[in-house]
């Protein structure tokens, strides 16, 4: 285990706990910045598009992570906020607002309306909140239809390309630019998120998650804090929605459906609730496994002439892999990652059963 | 001069009168103890002050402010901090983080400056940490600084809770059974801390406690409650010798190996 | 008369929601887990029965197929808990929710691969038969649904409030550790209740499939049943039925008298309204923490 | 040109194999594969074997985007066939058009599949919109009806059908569109909706519901005694299963579709062959609507590839497609494409359920 | 240990027990023996591992190493409910009650493993006679009881299972002095009248040693001392650190700059 001798108050405030950590993060940054080079080299950006998709998922995932992982409020309605961001973005762009303004605004407006919608249900906990947001998610499609003048309703709406000071960015025609753009947004949000967690706002979120009673007794206003969390969360989801729109090119009332909301929740749980990297781990799982399965199947077909043609097998296989993930790592992939890291840090002193799960027991959620 | 004034407060849960027309006041700088049998309504009085419950009648004033006019989350703003009988810490956070939440009422930065971690937010953080480190030094919590609450023994948690309350730099500290579950040695530490809190920090304390040793060691005044009603008020010695208090609460203190002490 | 017909059919339909909700609530009441695959369990139960009784499959007698499928689904629920959920004992409910969601996908796949994605009807001896009374028509299937739902709700209500095992189930959901300290075999109790819930799902599936056709995506109905359970108060058996009935009534009323589109919104709008004004549902099963 | 080698031509399909429309997508892709297998066994087309890559999007947009990216950018298919879902197809057009990937016979009868005209977009059958217009006109004449209504899902499919019904009612003397109800895929009770339509005096009710729901609607209407209401399905409800519901629940339902029912044409050897081959290969009891569509689309593609000649590219393929004019015996329709007509089977067949079978009563 | 080695007398025998919370070793090779009809107490400062020890015995935690024998058969690692059915009941630290159930239902759950209806009713009456307040509050939801009332409920519920061996973790936590006294009288009475063997963890060392026959002292996961209760009560270290009897008049000064304990 690494012991960090703390000699000043800064030690706890710094973004990175120690030099090595900073180095690792720098390497990671270099890696993600250099990734496109590989695709340039092979001259095929197909998979880069999928990686970009993962980043978009991760942005939405961070939004939900803040709400569910750090504030303890489950939501099965985040596709709604994505929809808001996406449609606001389309409309602003349609009205001639430059992307550089329209994009952040679409997040903020989604955040604002998200908060308005969430306000009446902030008193709810656990299953009840999940169900209320689920209801919201189910109704989203209907609202998109009702708001036809802005959304194109059932017929759908085409999403204009991004234009930043004359630079045209499109998911397919300029995949590299699109990747860097999404990457930039993701990194910016990670930085914001980490700042939040080391300041009073973030602490008040986790306080509410762990004990509402204590939080109140420490002077935290539940409604305002939860609303803030909802706002930030919906803003991130809105931004992701806007980017998702650019990556889909065309959206309808069925695009941001319940399945998408569920996928987001699933993603952060698999990634590891309560950890920022969890959003990324989860997005990788959710975004890459289907691609891997599909390509694996194609590979079997082309190389070994093995054709597996059972309809729906891919979804089932994906679900099965998820079951395995949950079963073997209920704390999420980030939990597993921490163990692997500890293993290396401790190397010779590591005991095999060190991370054996001690029996654990649940208590009711109905006492709040 | 009295800091907290509870005046003829009554609270019912359905048919049960948990607090029955109770009046008390805690003076500036004093340690005021509330004792009484289980279910007497002591914690309920705390919960009334914390504004978790609305009284059916009566008034609660703190330093001239009408507490009944405000919400639970505004109470700490006046300088009232509390601990809980059954420990309510933020389990998935470290000791340091718990104490930092205690500083919430001194927060001065807004959302925006938090998100971008502005210099102002940085300076505020440094201030908070300084205050928290002092509390940790005072309560000998440094060894547990970065430990998760989830894995701490009961006694340490009690101290962390006290620390969290102290971190908010209150004027009045409400301690609900601070020494329950503590060993004799730890109880003595607790007594010294309470003394220091009173004398050196100038914080008034109101506490509920069943350990009469601790009560007599630290409290200036004691009130005994039973069935929601006041039984007796006075110095520790006075209350302890009050026959009703002995009958309802204290008992003889000896274990008879043959029969119950309830005659 | 029309109005009465509307109400009666709505109630019958509401009973289907109630019945699925009953399955949710059983599990919730005994384990506090939320089974997102309950709708899919129902669908599976229906297909199992179709597999036993329809002429293109095994062609067994309907009245033999029913208990068989109930048994099969009971075993399925039990084994699902025993083989999978038990390994996650004590883990957060969110993980279990995710697991059941994934399970739903797998069940849908299995049903699609086994019985195809085409809508299939259950061949029942009472298909197309009606009961008519004074101008009102009610299918025999609907009469059965109402009767079975009422009976099951009552039986389970009594089971939970009067029997030792029922109480133990509730205890196990409120505090697993304390339940163990009392000698309650919590894991076995969980398996048991999943088995029960599988059986209820089979009943619901059979009744639903005899009303119309089903296909692997029928499990979607589970979401409305969710809403029903929440309206009634998650964890309350009569609440599940009541919630089901409310949704069952609101839908046809809204589509009869409201503008187009309102009947799909109505159940969820009602859910939201109820939750806003009564955060624990009608028969709230929650308690605010005493400190 | 992507997706073509001397020995192989790669065809993609972005389909729903496990979602709400799996009942169409799964059999359609299976049937298409059978056609290709047969072609490949016979040596392929101009020496090229057809490889058919199907991705399952389960009718979800995010997955559809992934599938599209894989097929077009990853696998680099030459053409798309039978892709399911209007929004999925429209979203794909942007990329497909940029890469000159033809879109053949998508599993969507929305108008956007062939309108506005694009050289590489080819619709298989008449649109829902046209189907319903023709069906309503026919029924109105037959029954002397004067009111039209719609029960529909709020999807592109539902919208087309409702608009078709509305527009034909507006254009036809003595016919008015009087009422509508909308539904969700999980609606199971239609008493309220039918009572409303009955109160509004609907003679013809056009249906844009799932098959399962259409069955329930018919049953409920029978139970409520609404016998003078005629229900008209589009191709989406023109499903063999519909006719086979026990107890005569669906007797008398109409459907206007781009093909004729199989079972009524089993005397034709080609139909028999298709029937036999499909049931043997899949173990299913009978090929449903999806299978039929898949078969027809695959045949169209094969014929177009043949006509395109050995120098295959988007241009020659277009020429091949536009030269097609043949009788598709299995679907019972004539398939014609031309430089101005990118919709294959233009005929609309109107059928009714009689004694548990679809019976053709008119064609236009 | 005492010299008496009649194995039939031994209710609980623990050898070399080790338990972990993830990487943290909470008890490190504990061995102890509880004899039939004894009241054994385990003393120790905060975090010494007393609760962990009891949890490992009652099966809610799995030990990493070592054995726990209940009347000769090994029980470590079994499911907790199986251990209850063997006659060990654990009254846990921190009032693990069923918050949404009524007091009466909570008490009924205590008798879950029993089938003798008539006797159960009698035992319920016994519990209610020990804690009359619980009788008054039979229909109240247990989660709304006061802290002390919940503690009474937890103890009362434990009594309902007619255990052979009772593990009591800080039974006096949050109880009034009068009730603490009564609880210990009940413990002694059950022990003498119904021959229930007791293993008792207490912070209130004075009463615990008064009631107990034998005592163990735990520190940092190890047993550092054990002897008959009277002997322990007379020991200097015990007096100083557990009974609060100070040799030094200037207690405060000494305690402020206290030295840590002297054993080891
Ligand atoms: N929410 C509630 N509903 C019903 N009764 C309640 C509720 N909360 C508390 N009570 C009752 O009010 C009385 C006072 O409880 P309180 O917690 O104040 O007691 P206390 O004096 O703190 O006792 P202890 O020393 O055991 O903690 C008790 O009899 C308790 O059962
Ligand atoms: N859930 C947990 N995770 C990690 N460590 C734990 C956990 N629970 C207890 N520990 C550690 O195990 C050790 C023993 O704890 P235990 O609760 O058994 O002590 P105890 O003697 O009962 O103390 P107390 O008198 O405070 O109840 C402590 O050092 C504690 O930090
Ligand atoms: Mg109290
Ligand atoms: Mg302990």
């Amino acid at each position: 285990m690494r012991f960090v001798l703390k000699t000043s108050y800064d030690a706890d405030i710094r973004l990175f706990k120690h030099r090595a950590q900073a180095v690792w993060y720098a390497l990671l940054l270099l890696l993600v910045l250099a990734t496109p080079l590989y695709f340039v080299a092979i001259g095929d950006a197909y998979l880069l598009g999928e990686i970009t998709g993962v980043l978009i998922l991760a942005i939405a995932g961070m939004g939900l992570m803040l709400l569910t992982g750090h504030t303890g409020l489950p939501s099965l309605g985040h596709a709604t906020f994505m929809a808001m961001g996406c449609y606001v973005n389309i409309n602003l762009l349609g009205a001639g607002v430059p992307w550089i303004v329209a994009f952040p605004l679409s997040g903020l407006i989604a955040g604002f309306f998200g908060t308005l919608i969430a306000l009446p249900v902030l008193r709810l906990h656990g299953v009840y909140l999940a169900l209320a947001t689920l209801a919201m998610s189910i109704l989203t499609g209907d609202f998109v239809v009702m708001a036809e003048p802005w959304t194109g309703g059932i017929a759908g709406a085409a999403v204009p390309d991004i234009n930043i000071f004359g630079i045209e960015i499109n998911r397919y025609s300029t995949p590299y630019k699109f990747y860097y753009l999404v990457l930039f947004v993701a990194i910016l949000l990670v930085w914001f998120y980490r700042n939040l967690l080391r300041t009073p706002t973030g602490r008040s979120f986790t306080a509410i998650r762990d004990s509402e009673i204590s939080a109140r007794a420490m002077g935290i206003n539940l409604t305002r804090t939860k609303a803030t969390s909802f706002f930030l969360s919906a803003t991130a989801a809105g931004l992701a929605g806007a980017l998702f729109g650019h990556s889909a090119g065309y959206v309808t009332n069925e695009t941001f459906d319940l399945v998408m909301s569920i996928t987001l929740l699933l993603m952060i749980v698999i990634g590891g609730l309560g950890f920022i990297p969890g959003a990324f781990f989860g997005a990788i799982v959710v975004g890459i496994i289907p691609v891997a399965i599909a390509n694996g199947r194609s590979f079997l077909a082309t190389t070994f002439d093995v054709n597996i043609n059972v309809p729906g097998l891919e979804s089932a296989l994906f679900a099965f892999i998820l079951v395995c993930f949950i079963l073997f790592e209920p704390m999420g992939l980030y939990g597993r990652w921490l163990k692997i890291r500890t293993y290396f840090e401790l190397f010779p002193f590591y005991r095999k059963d060190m991370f054996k799960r001690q029996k654990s027991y649940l208590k009711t959620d109905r006492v709040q | 001069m009295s800091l907290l004034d509870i005046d003829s407060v009554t609270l019912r849960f359905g048919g049960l009168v948990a607090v029955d027309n109770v009046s008390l006041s805690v003076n500036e700088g004093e340690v005021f103890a509330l004792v009484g049998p289980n279910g007497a309504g002591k914690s309920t009085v705390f919960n009334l002050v914390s504004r978790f419950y609305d009284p059916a009648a009566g008034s609660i004033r703190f330093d001239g402010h009408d507490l009944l006019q405000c919400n639970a989350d505004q109470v700490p703003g006046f300088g009232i901090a509390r601990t809980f009988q059954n420990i309510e810490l933020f389990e998935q956070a470290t000791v340091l983080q718990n104490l930092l939440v205690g500083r919430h009422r001194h927060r001065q930065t807004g959302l925006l400056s938090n998100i971008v971690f502005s210099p102002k937010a940085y300076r505020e953080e440094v201030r908070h940490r300084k205050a928290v480190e002092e509390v940790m030094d005072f309560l000998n919590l440094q060894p547990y600084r970065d430990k998760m609450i989830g894995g701490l023994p009961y006694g340490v948690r009690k101290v962390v809770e006290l620390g969290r309350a102290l971190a908010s730099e209150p004027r009045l500290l409400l301690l609900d059974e601070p020494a329950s579950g503590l060993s004799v040695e730890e109880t003595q530490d607790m007594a010294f801390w309470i003394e220091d809190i009173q004398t050196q920090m100038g914080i008034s304390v109101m506490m509920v406690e069943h350990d009469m040793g601790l009560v007599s060691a630290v409290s200036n005044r004691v009130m005994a409650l039973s069935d929601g009603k006041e039984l007796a008020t006075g110095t520790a010695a006075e209350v302890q010798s009050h026959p009703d208090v002995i009958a309802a609460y204290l008992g003889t203190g000896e274990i008879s190996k043959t029969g119950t002490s309830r005659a | 008369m029309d109005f009465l017909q509307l109400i009666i059919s709505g109630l019958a339909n509401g009973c289907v929601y109630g019945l699925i909700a009953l399955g949710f609530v059983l599990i919730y009441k005994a384990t506090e887990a939320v089974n997102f695959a309950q709708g899919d369990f129902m669908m599976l139960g229906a297909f199992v029965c179709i597999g036993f009784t329809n002429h293109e499959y095994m062609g067994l007698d309907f009245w033999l197929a029913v208990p068989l499928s109930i048994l099969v689904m009971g075993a399925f629920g039990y084994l699902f808990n025993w083989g999978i959920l038990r390994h996650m004992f004590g883990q957060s409910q969110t993980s279990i929710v995710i697991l059941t969601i994934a399970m739903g996908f797998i069940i849908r796949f299995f049903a699609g691969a086994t019985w195809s994605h085409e809508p299939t009807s259950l061949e029942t001896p009472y298909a197309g038969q009606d009961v008519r009374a004074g101008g009102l028509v009610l299918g025999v299937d609907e009469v059965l649904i109402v009767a079975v739902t009422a009976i099951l709700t009552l039986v389970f209500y009594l089971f939970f409030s009067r029997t030792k095992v029922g109480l133990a189930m509730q205890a196990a959901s409120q505090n697993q550790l304390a339940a163990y300290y009392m000698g309650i075999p919590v894991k076995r109790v969980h398996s048991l209740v999943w088995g029960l819930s599988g059986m209820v799902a089979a009943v619901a599936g059979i009744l639903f499939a005899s009303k119309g056709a089903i296909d692997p995506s029928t499990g979607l109905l589970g979401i409305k049943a969710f809403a029903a359970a929440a309206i009634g108060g998650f964890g309350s058996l009569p609440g599940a039925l009541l919630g089901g009935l409310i949704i069952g009534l609101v839908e046809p009323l809204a589509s009869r008298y409201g503008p187009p589109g309102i009947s799909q919104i109505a159940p969820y709008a009602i859910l939201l309204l109820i939750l806003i004004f009564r955060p624990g549902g009608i028969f709230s099963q929650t308690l605010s923490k005493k400190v | 040109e992507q997706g073509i080698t001397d020995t192989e031509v790669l065809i993609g399909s972005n389909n729903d194999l496990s979602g709400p429309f799996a009942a169409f997508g799964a059999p359609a892709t299976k049937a298409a594969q059978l056609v290709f297998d047969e072609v490949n066994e016979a040596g392929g087309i101009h020496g090229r074997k057809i490889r058919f890559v199907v991705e399952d999007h389960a009718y979800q947009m995010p997955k559809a985007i992934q599938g599209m990216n894989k097929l077009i950018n990853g696998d680099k298919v030459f053409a798309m066939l039978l892709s399911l879902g209007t929004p999925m197809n429209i979203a794909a057009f942007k990329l497909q058009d940029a890469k000159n990937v033809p879109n053949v016979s998508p599993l969507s009868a929305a108008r956007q599949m062939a309108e506005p005209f694009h050289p590489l977009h080819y619709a298989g059958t008449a649109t829902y919109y046209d189907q319903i217009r023709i069906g309503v006109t026919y029924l109105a004449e037959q029954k002397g009806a004067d009111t039209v209504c719609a029960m529909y899902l709020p999807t592109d499919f539902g919208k087309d059908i409702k608009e078709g019904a509305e527009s034909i009612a507006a254009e036809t003397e003595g016919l008015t569109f009087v009422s509508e109800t909308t539904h969700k895929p999980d609606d199971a009770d239609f008493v309220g909706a039918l009572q409303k339509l009955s109160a509004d005096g609907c003679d013809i009710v056009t249906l844009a519901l799932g098959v399962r729901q259409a069955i329930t609607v018919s049953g409920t209407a029978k139970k409520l005694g609404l016998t003078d209401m005629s229900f008209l399905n589009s191709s989406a409800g023109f499903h063999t299963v519909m006719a086979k519901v026990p107890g005569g629940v669906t007797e008398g339902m109409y459907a206007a579709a781009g093909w004729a029912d199989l079972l009524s044409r089993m005397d034709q050897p080609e139909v028999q062959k298709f029937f036999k081959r499909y049931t043997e290969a899949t173990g299913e009891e009978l090929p449903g609507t999806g299978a039929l569509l898949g078969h027809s689309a695959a045949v169209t593609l094969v014929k177009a590839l043949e006509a395109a000649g050995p120098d295959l590219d988007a241009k020659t393929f277009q020429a091949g497609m536009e030269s097609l004019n043949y009788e598709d015996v299995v679907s019972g329709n004539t398939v014609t494409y031309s430089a101005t007509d990118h919709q294959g089977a233009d005929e609309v067949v109107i059928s009714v359920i009689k004694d548990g079978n679809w019976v053709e009563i008119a064609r236009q | 240990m005492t010299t008496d080695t009649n194995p039939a007398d031994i209710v609980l025998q623990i050898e070399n027990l080790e338990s972990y919370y993830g990487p943290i070793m909470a008890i490190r090779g504990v061995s102890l023996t509880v004899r039939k009809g004894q009241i054994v107490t385990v003393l120790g400062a905060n975090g010494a591992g007393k609760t962990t020890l009891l949890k490992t015995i009652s099966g809610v935690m799995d030990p990493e190493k070592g054995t726990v024998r209940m009347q000769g058969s090994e029980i470590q690692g079994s499911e907790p409910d199986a251990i209850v059915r063997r006659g060990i009941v654990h009254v846990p630290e921190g009032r693990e009650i069923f918050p949404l159930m009524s007091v009466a239902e909570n008490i009924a759950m205590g008798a879950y493993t029993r089938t003798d209806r008539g006797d159960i009713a009698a035992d319920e009456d016994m519990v209610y006679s020990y804690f009359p307040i619980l009788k008054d509050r039979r229909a109240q939801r247990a989660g709304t009881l006061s802290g002390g009332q919940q503690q009474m409920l937890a103890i009362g519920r434990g009594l309902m299972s007619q255990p052979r061996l009772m593990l009591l973790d800080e039974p006096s936590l949050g109880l009034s002095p009068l009730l603490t006294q009564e609880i210990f009288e009940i413990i002694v009475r059950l022990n003498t009248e119904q021959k229930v063997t007791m293993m008792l963890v207490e912070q209130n060392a004075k009463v615990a040693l008064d009631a107990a026959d034998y005592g163990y002292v735990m520190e940092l996961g190890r047993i550092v001392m054990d002897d008959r209760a009277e002997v322990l009560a007379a020991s200097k270290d015990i007096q100083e650190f557990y009974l609060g009897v100070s040799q030094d008049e200037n207690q405060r000064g000494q305690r402020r700059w206290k030295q840590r304990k002297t054993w080891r």
Side-chain angles (χ1 to χ4, degrees), chain C residues 117-133:
Chain C
H117 287 276
E118 316 254 312
T120 317
S121 306
L122 177 66
E123 291 163 7
T124 61
Y126 50 84
Q129 294 177 15
D130 297 330
V131 182
R132 283 170 198 272

Side-chain angles (χ1 to χ4, degrees), chain E residues 143-194:
Chain E
T144 64
L145 292 176
S146 85
Q149 290 165 344
Q150 291 188 13
Q151 185 68 20
M152 294 179 225
L153 180 60
I155 297 170
R157 200 182 52 179
L159 297 178
M160 287 299 294
S161 75
Q162 278 197 330
R164 257 175 294 195
L165 170 64
M166 250 188 130
L167 311 176
L168 291 157
D169 200 349
E170 311 212 9
S172 75
L173 189 79
L175 291 184
S176 72
L178 177 62
L179 261 162
T180 305
Q181 188 184 328
E182 286 179 8
I183 289 285
F184 278 90
E185 281 164 12
I186 292 168
I187 291 171
V188 171
R189 243 174 66 187
L190 283 175
N191 177 252
T192 48
E193 290 173 12
Q194 300 184 24

Side-chain angles (χ1 to χ4, degrees), chain B residues 43 85 176-177, chain E residues 147:
Chain B
S43 301
Q85 179 171 5
D176 200 348
E177 304 201 8

Side-chain angles (χ1 to χ4, degrees), chain A residues 314-326, chain C residues 102-103 105-106:
Chain A
E314 290 165 34
S315 311
L317 192 59
F318 175 63
F320 177 75
I321 293 175
L322 292 191
V323 169
C324 294
F325 270 123
I326 289 276
Chain C
M103 201 56 211
F105 277 102
I106 297 176

Side-chain angles (χ1 to χ4, degrees), chain A residues 124-340:
Chain A
L124 303 177
H125 298 98
V127 207
Y128 292 97
L129 183 61
L131 278 168
T133 47
L134 179 129
M136 195 168 84
S137 197
I138 291 175
L139 297 181
T140 303
D142 296 303
F143 286 123
V144 172
V145 175
M146 284 180 212
E148 181 162 350
W150 296 285
T151 61
I154 293 166
V159 186
D161 280 348
I162 301 169
N163 185 322
I164 305 173
F165 303 125
I167 307 171
E168 282 278 341
I169 302 181
N170 171 282
R171 187 214 159 151
Y172 293 111
S173 53
T174 58
Y176 300 104
K177 285 183 195 150
F178 190 59
Y179 170 80
Y180 281 117
L181 179 72
V182 175
L183 182 67
F184 173 75
V185 176
I187 292 178
L188 193 70
L189 288 189
V190 170
W191 185 62
F192 285 165
Y193 199 161
R194 295 210 51 171
N195 285 342
L196 209 58
L197 291 186
R198 54 180 171 156
T199 46
T201 315
R203 283 197 296 268
S204 60
F205 292 166
T206 47
I208 285 185
R209 173 192 67 188
D210 287 357
S211 166
E212 287 197 357
I213 293 219
S214 285
R216 277 204 295 167
M218 296 303 121
I220 295 170
N221 180 318
L222 292 190
T223 313
R224 193 181 316 136
T225 311
K226 287 180 179 179
T228 309
S229 179
F230 243 103
F231 171 75
L232 296 172
S233 178
T235 302
L239 293 177
L243 290 173
F244 182 87
H246 286 299
S247 117
Y250 181 81
V251 288
T252 71
N253 62 325
E254 291 171 285
T255 301
F256 299 99
D257 60 357
L258 180 61
V259 178
M260 197 182 246
S261 291
I262 290 180
T263 309
L264 288 178
L265 185 68
L266 190 140
M267 203 173 91
I268 58 165
V269 172
I270 294 214
L273 267 185
F275 306 101
I276 302 174
F280 286 82
F281 281 114
I284 291 172
V285 169
V286 168
I288 295 298
I289 288 187
V291 177
I293 295 176
N295 283 294
R297 206 184 53 141
S298 291
F299 177 76
L300 283 181
T302 44
T303 357
F304 301 105
D305 204 25
V306 181
N307 281 297
I308 305 164
N309 262 331
V310 189
L313 183 63
E314 290 165 34
S315 311
L317 192 59
F318 175 63
F320 177 75
I321 293 175
L322 292 191
V323 169
C324 294
F325 270 123
I326 289 276
L327 213 52
F328 295 112
E329 205 47 80
M331 309 294 289
L333 282 178
Y334 188 70
R336 167 67 48 171
W337 162 248
L338 286 181
K339 287 173 195 173
I340 295 172

